[in-house]
């Protein structure tokens, strides 16, 4: 009577189960969980020779950037140190099976109250590029916003020639008054809200505004011809017309999703 060396059905079943399990988890193993903490606090900020105590994230205006790769899981703790109720929306993120992390106050969550915190927990699926985050309650988004940069998966090339550097440009607004008071007055009177005192680039007004000698933006358009540069733009305008030349309105629409601060070549490998 010979000895059979054929594997048993039980062993074959275990082998098949192990192979399928490893195959399903091979790609997610390349992704990581990234932790961020956003402290909503008051900070003195000066623009147009006017200093005001306004709501910021981590004391920055615009707020800090969040960087991740496609497939990464984000755990973002938002801590509220101000008297306003707060919620944060991750603009453009497809919240697949994580709708509770979308951020619109009184719709997908109760806002974060003073002294409280909330952890936004979601995974970036099938997305890459430059998005942005902002407050999603009243007009606090005028000061609470920042870039959300989604890099390709490790080993996945860019869909274009990788630039030497990327120079993000953030278009926003500056109000000498409290934006919350501006919208409150408009609601009481029934009229349109007062327009902002200045448009900003990367949080700074242009050099043509009165009293803008300190804290202004200036762009010197001299780029080296032998390198590739990427310019990304975003309009963050609450009210009023955009400061653009005739015929350029399409640009504002096409680049509405881009919002970030200047990041160098080293950040591409984050």
């Amino acid at each position: 009577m010979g000895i059979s060396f054929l594997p048993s059905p039980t062993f074959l079943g275990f082998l098949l189960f192990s192979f399928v399990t490893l195959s399903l988890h091979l790609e997610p193993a390349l992704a990581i969980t990234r932790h961020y903490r956003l402290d909503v606090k008051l900070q003195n900020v000066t623009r147009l020779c006017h200093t005001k105590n306004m709501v910021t994230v981590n004391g920055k205006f615009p707020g800090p950037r969040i960087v991740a790769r496609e497939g990464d899981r984000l755990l973002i703790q938002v801590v509220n140190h101000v008297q306003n109720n707060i919620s944060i929306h991750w603009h453009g993120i497809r919240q697949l099976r994580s709708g509770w992390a979308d951020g619109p106050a009184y719709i997908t969550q109760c806002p974060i109250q003073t002294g409280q915190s909330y952890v936004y927990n979601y995974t970036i699926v099938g997305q890459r590029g430059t998005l942005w985050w902002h407050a999603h309650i009243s007009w606090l988004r005028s000061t609470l916003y920042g870039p959300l940069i989604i890099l390709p998966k490790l080993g996945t090339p860019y869909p274009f020639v990788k630039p030497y550097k990327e120079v993000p440009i953030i278009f926003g607004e500056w109000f000498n008054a409290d934006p919350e008071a501006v919208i409150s007055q408009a609601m009481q009177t029934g009229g349109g809200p007062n327009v902002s005192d200045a448009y900003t680039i990367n949080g700074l007004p242009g050099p043509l505004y009165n009293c803008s000698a300190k804290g202004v933006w200036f762009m010197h358009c001299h780029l080296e011809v032998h390198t590739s540069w990427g310019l990304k733009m975003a309009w963050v305008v609450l009210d009023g017309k955009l400061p653009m030349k005739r015929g350029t309105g399409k640009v504002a629409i096409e680049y509405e999703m881009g919002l970030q601060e200047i990041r160098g070549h080293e950040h591409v490998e984050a």
Side-chain angles (χ1 to χ4, degrees):
M1 181 172 160
I3 300 176
S4 174
F5 292 95
L6 293 176
S8 66
T10 302
F11 176 77
L12 288 175
F14 174 77
L15 186 64
L16 178 62
F17 173 79
S18 300
F19 175 77
V20 172
T21 302
L22 290 175
S23 298
L24 291 175
H25 290 81
L26 182 59
E27 184 174 339
L30 299 176
I32 63 174
T33 298
R34 298 177 185 261
H35 298 263
Y36 286 90
R37 175 175 169 134
L38 304 182
D39 285 284
V40 180
K41 59 175 68 174
L42 293 174
Q43 178 71 32
N44 285 333
V45 179
T46 302
R47 300 289 187 271
L48 304 181
C49 293
H50 180 87
T51 300
K52 66 176 182 179
N53 199 235
M54 69 184 200
V55 182
T56 65
V57 167
N58 296 354
K60 296 181 179 181
F61 171 68
R65 69 179 169 217
I66 293 175
V67 182
R69 288 191 179 275
E70 180 184 356
D72 284 352
R73 178 188 179 193
L74 285 173
L75 293 178
I76 305 172
Q77 183 183 21
V78 178
V79 185
N80 186 8
H81 302 279
V82 301
Q83 295 302 312
N84 308 77
N85 288 341
I86 296 295
S87 71
I88 301 295
H89 173 59
W90 318 98
H91 197 103
I93 290 292
R94 300 171 189 144
Q95 297 289 355
L96 304 179
R97 292 179 294 179
S98 55
W100 58 84
D102 197 39
Y106 305 109
I107 298 176
T108 60
Q109 71 168 100
C110 293
I112 307 167
Q113 298 183 14
T114 304
Q116 302 298 313
S117 67
Y118 182 77
V119 177
Y120 292 90
N121 181 354
Y122 58 90
T123 300
I124 300 174
V125 180
Q127 290 185 269
R128 71 183 74 168
T130 304
L131 304 175
W132 62 299
W133 57 264
H134 60 86
H136 205 295
I137 183 169
S138 192
W139 265 25
L140 288 175
R141 66 186 185 277
S142 65
T143 61
L144 294 182
Y145 62 84
L148 175 53
I149 303 165
I150 307 172
L151 302 174
K153 296 178 182 179
L154 287 174
T156 301
Y158 283 78
F160 46 80
V161 177
K162 185 177 180 180
Y164 169 72
K165 258 185 185 178
E166 296 182 28
V167 183
I169 302 173
I170 310 172
F171 292 92
E173 290 181 285
W174 169 263
F175 291 83
N176 285 334
D178 180 3
E180 292 287 273
V182 172
I183 188 62
S184 177
Q185 180 187 35
M187 294 179 67
Q188 291 176 10
T189 63
N194 295 331
V195 297
S196 59
D197 295 280
Y199 292 104
T200 62
I201 291 182
N202 293 344
L204 300 174
L208 300 181
Y209 288 102
N210 293 329
C211 193
S212 60
K214 292 184 179 181
V216 301
W217 61 262
F218 180 76
M219 179 182 294
H220 182 57
C221 295
H222 173 74
L223 305 180
E224 299 180 45
V225 295
H226 63 278
T227 58
S228 175
W229 292 71
L231 299 178
K232 299 185 177 181
M233 302 181 183
W235 293 106
V236 188
V237 178
L238 297 179
D239 188 66
K241 296 182 179 180
L242 301 178
M244 64 178 73
K245 295 181 180 179
R246 181 176 298 177
T248 60
K250 186 178 180 182
V251 175
I253 297 174
E254 290 180 346
Y255 290 94
E256 183 181 3
M257 294 178 61
L259 176 65
Q260 52 184 326
E261 57 194 29
I262 294 179
R263 59 189 178 103
H265 180 71
E266 68 275 10
H267 298 121
V268 176
E269 305 300 332

